[in-house]
Amino acid sequence: MADGHALRVGFGTHKPPYVFEGEQRGLEVEIVAAAMQAAGLSMKVEHAPMERLQLMLSRHQLDAMATTNARGSVEAHLSQPYLQYSNMAVALSSRQLRIERIADLSQYSVSAFQRARFLLGDEFRQMAQSNPRYREEPRQITRNRLLYSGRIDVAIGDPRIFRYLDALVAEQVDTSQALTWYPLFPPSDYQVGFLDPQLRDRFDEGLALIRDNGVYADIQRRYAGH
């Protein structure tokens, strides 16, 4: 793709502080945008649920897709990791659930983000496939509602996203209920998947530049309080 044409880059739906849908901001969006700019590239952000983004990429309706990795089974050229999410399991403390390993989730109703069954490793995928009460939601905020209302036992997600969305559901459910977090997963490195390997290489160069010149650290500091 010639310079001057904005790359169509897919990001998931509203998951603050990483992605503020429709606002062109968020920790994740701004890191990718800064790396693109440093590489002399521009991008047009497109939001959709993760399953839809993968379909759009396969149909060449996008040039790249964010928030994926080698486990994500995306047919694309993956960038260097640009961000980590700390995905965890969470339940209402009042339930007193004993969850010490991923396999323990098989006895509970579980709601995760789209493509979690691919992105969180083989053991999690096996649990998801064998658990008839496992579900994936296209919108992060749905999991907050489901958990606080007692409609699911366990939610899977990043604590920063979960806590940020609490304020948006506080009038619908009781978000003052104590939560117990279960650190079942290592931090997840996320990459951008590009259709064009040359654009991937340029993005990687831009990412290295912003790590070196302090721009990356500046973006992280802006969101450190979230």
Side-chain angles (χ1 to χ4, degrees):
M1 179 173 292
D3 288 3
H5 293 271
L7 301 181
R8 300 161 299 175
V9 182
F11 290 84
T13 54
H14 194 58
K15 49 181 177 180
Y18 296 97
V19 176
F20 290 82
E21 187 172 351
E23 296 185 41
Q24 301 283 319
R25 70 183 182 99
L27 176 60
E28 185 172 356
V29 174
E30 290 175 41
I31 286 172
V32 173
M36 291 277 192
Q37 185 176 19
L41 301 167
S42 60
M43 74 172 184
K44 178 180 182 291
V45 174
E46 300 201 18
H47 295 284
M50 298 306 291
E51 297 282 10
R52 176 67 181 162
L53 290 179
Q54 174 136 352
L55 185 62
M56 291 170 71
L57 190 70
S58 70
R59 293 176 173 173
H60 291 212
Q61 295 168 336
L62 294 173
D63 300 296
M65 172 184 171
T67 334
T68 191
N69 58 36
R71 294 170 168 170
S73 66
V74 175
E75 294 290 330
H77 302 277
L78 295 174
S79 73
Q80 289 298 307
Y82 65 89
L83 191 64
Q84 278 191 338
Y85 279 54
S86 297
N87 290 304
M88 299 174 72
V90 60
L92 297 177
S93 299
S94 60
R95 300 292 306 282
Q96 298 183 312
L97 303 186
R98 289 184 58 85
I99 302 173
E100 298 176 354
R101 56 197 182 98
I102 291 171
D104 293 338
L105 296 172
S106 61
Q107 58 192 308
Y108 302 116
S109 55
V110 178
S111 175
F113 52 92
Q114 278 198 336
R115 303 195 66 72
R117 64 195 186 280
F118 299 112
L119 294 166
L120 293 180
D122 291 340
E123 190 179 356
F124 187 81
R125 182 166 67 252
Q126 290 166 11
M127 182 284 301
Q129 289 173 341
S130 63
N131 185 349
R133 295 190 294 163
Y134 175 81
R135 58 199 282 178
E136 293 183 353
E137 305 294 339
R139 301 195 68 82
Q140 307 272 334
I141 198 168
T142 304
R143 282 197 302 289
N144 290 59
R145 295 190 185 105
L146 291 172
L147 188 70
Y148 285 118
S149 64
R151 291 164 59 195
I152 57 169
D153 299 319
V154 181
I156 307 293
D158 183 291
R160 296 215 297 186
I161 300 173
F162 203 89
R163 285 193 283 262
Y164 202 103
L165 292 173
D166 272 357
L168 302 184
V169 300
E171 293 184 0
Q172 304 161 21
V173 290
D174 179 9
T175 58
S176 70
Q177 298 173 85
L179 301 177
T180 299
W181 292 90
Y182 304 89
L184 302 178
F185 314 100
S188 300
D189 283 327
Y190 284 113
Q191 300 158 270
V192 181
F194 288 85
L195 293 180
D196 185 334
Q198 293 181 319
L199 292 174
R200 184 272 315 275
D201 293 345
R202 287 180 62 181
F203 175 84
D204 282 347
E205 291 170 3
L207 182 60
L209 274 173
I210 66 170
R211 287 188 187 277
D212 289 342
N213 66 17
V215 169
Y216 187 100
D218 286 343
I219 295 170
Q220 284 196 313
R221 271 194 293 274
R222 285 207 296 277
Y223 289 95
H226 294 297

